[in-house]
Amino acid sequence: MRITRVLGAALLTLGLAAGPAAADSSPSDSSPPGSTPSPSASDGASAPTSAGTSFRTATEIAQGKTATASASTGDYLYWSFPADVGRRPTVRATVKLPRSHAAQTWQVDVYDGLRRRQACQYGAQTRTVEPGTGSVELACVLRTVRAWSQPWANDPLPGTYYVRLTAVDVRTADLGQPVGARVRVESKDIGGPAAVDGRLAKPLVPGVAARTQAETDGKSEQSAEPAALSGTEPDGGWSSGWWSDRWVWTAIGAALAALAGIGGYALTRGSGRPSRMPSQGS
């Protein structure tokens, strides 16, 4: 009877530990009945139809949206997107080529908020197409974004990421030919296995300095205003920090260890009282 009570208490503990994880993974379930959830920022935003030509003019795109752009062979095309802790971003790019062209090599690169080039875990980051090929598809799967890293490491950290798409080793005859680009960014939630101890104070989001022109005594002077952060932000905002499903697995492991200890004790203690040893006569 005591074993049954202990097992019931352990199962109740497991249910209480898994409750916060379920609430965290499906926040929309907590809305009152009959209410309509408000659309996120990316749902109402239209996909951009242009690309920047440098890091500072990169076009902001939301994850899950397909951005398009018309350009010329030889141009550098830039987009930016946000990536949060525990996510593994995947960048896919498709370039529609003109009917007649020589062999070309296209490449997509991804940089973090410090403009450090991030290595692709897998995917066709660079491809060479034969003459007359209609399109080329590229992909880059980044490593999982970490909450914290050593200063000398090149680990991906939360913040703004840049996508650069361009053709390399282009012949002079192909420069300036019209091309069409399409870029889409998606992320996979890795969760607890990517959790680390430590966290950045703020995500690596570049500041855009705003300046105003003031005319004084016929001379143009510049007065700097406080820098404004980039508008890119994940749906639901940046990760607040302390919660991770690693807490759930830790609680489950502790409960299983307790159950194993109780079961082992119940099996080894025996069911009856120990028999008395007969006294030895002299």
Side-chain angles (χ1 to χ4, degrees), residues 9-71:
L11 292 176
L12 179 60
T13 303
L14 290 177
L16 293 176
D24 184 71
S25 61
S26 57
S28 60
D29 296 339
S30 60
S31 58
S35 62
T36 303
S38 58
S40 60
S42 61
D43 292 337
S46 58
T49 57
S50 61
T53 57
S54 65
F55 287 102
R56 299 188 62 180
T57 61
T59 300
E60 298 176 357
I61 59 175
Q63 294 194 24
K65 294 287 185 178
T66 301
T68 58
S70 298

Side-chain angles (χ1 to χ4, degrees), residues 156-179:
L157 296 172
T160 299
Y161 282 74
Y162 299 92
V163 179
R164 185 179 71 180
L165 178 64
T166 188
V168 295
D169 298 333
V170 182
R171 296 185 179 181
T172 305
D174 287 340
L175 291 176
Q177 290 192 9
V179 295

Side-chain angles (χ1 to χ4, degrees), residues 1-15 259 262:
M1 191 67 179
R2 179 181 296 178
I3 298 299
T4 304
R5 293 179 179 178
V6 173
L7 290 177
L11 292 176
L12 179 60
T13 303
L14 290 177
L259 290 176
I262 295 172

Side-chain angles (χ1 to χ4, degrees), residues 168-232:
V168 295
D169 298 333
V170 182
R171 296 185 179 181
T172 305
D174 287 340
L175 291 176
Q177 290 192 9
V179 295
R182 185 173 57 192
V183 173
R184 184 179 180 88
V185 181
E186 296 177 340
S187 289
K188 180 179 180 181
D189 188 6
I190 304 302
V196 295
D197 295 331
R199 185 164 299 274
L200 294 180
K202 292 183 179 179
L204 301 178
V205 178
V208 181
R211 296 182 177 273
T212 59
Q213 295 289 337
E215 297 293 338
T216 305
D217 297 332
K219 296 182 180 180
S220 176
E221 296 182 355
Q222 290 185 344
S223 58
E225 296 180 353
L229 295 180
S230 175
T232 56

Side-chain angles (χ1 to χ4, degrees), residues 44-266:
S46 58
T49 57
S50 61
T53 57
S54 65
F55 287 102
R56 299 188 62 180
T57 61
T59 300
E60 298 176 357
I61 59 175
Q63 294 194 24
K65 294 287 185 178
T66 301
T68 58
S70 298
S72 301
T73 305
D75 292 344
Y76 286 86
L77 306 179
Y78 287 83
W79 294 270
S80 64
F81 67 93
D84 207 355
V85 176
R87 312 289 294 186
R88 187 171 63 191
T90 299
V91 179
R92 302 184 187 278
T94 303
V95 183
K96 185 177 181 181
L97 304 175
R99 294 182 178 179
S100 60
H101 62 82
Q104 297 181 4
T105 300
W106 285 82
Q107 180 172 311
V108 60
D109 297 305
V110 182
Y111 300 83
D112 64 5
L114 299 178
R115 299 185 184 181
R116 303 176 303 179
R117 184 176 180 273
Q118 292 294 320
C120 299
Q121 212 174 16
Y122 52 86
Q125 181 183 5
T126 304
R127 274 188 172 178
T128 301
V129 295
E130 299 298 328
T133 305
S135 63
V136 56
E137 295 183 358
L138 306 171
C140 177
V141 180
L142 298 177
R143 295 171 294 170
T144 304
V145 178
R146 296 166 55 89
W148 179 84
S149 178
Q150 296 290 346
W152 57 82
N154 195 32
D155 297 323
L157 296 172
T160 299
Y161 282 74
Y162 299 92
V163 179
R164 185 179 71 180
L165 178 64
T166 188
V168 295
D169 298 333
V170 182
R171 296 185 179 181
T172 305
D174 287 340
L175 291 176
Q177 290 192 9
V179 295
R182 185 173 57 192
V183 173
R184 184 179 180 88
V185 181
E186 296 177 340
S187 289
K188 180 179 180 181
D189 188 6
I190 304 302
V196 295
D197 295 331
R199 185 164 299 274
L200 294 180
K202 292 183 179 179
L204 301 178
V205 178
V208 181
R211 296 182 177 273
T212 59
Q213 295 289 337
E215 297 293 338
T216 305
D217 297 332
K219 296 182 180 180
S220 176
E221 296 182 355
Q222 290 185 344
S223 58
E225 296 180 353
L229 295 180
S230 175
T232 56
E233 185 175 299
D235 293 340
W238 297 102
S239 176
S240 59
W242 71 273
W243 174 253
S244 162
D245 57 1
R246 187 171 61 171
W247 290 93
V248 177
W249 293 109
T250 302
I252 293 176
L256 292 178
L259 290 176
I262 295 172
Y265 173 75

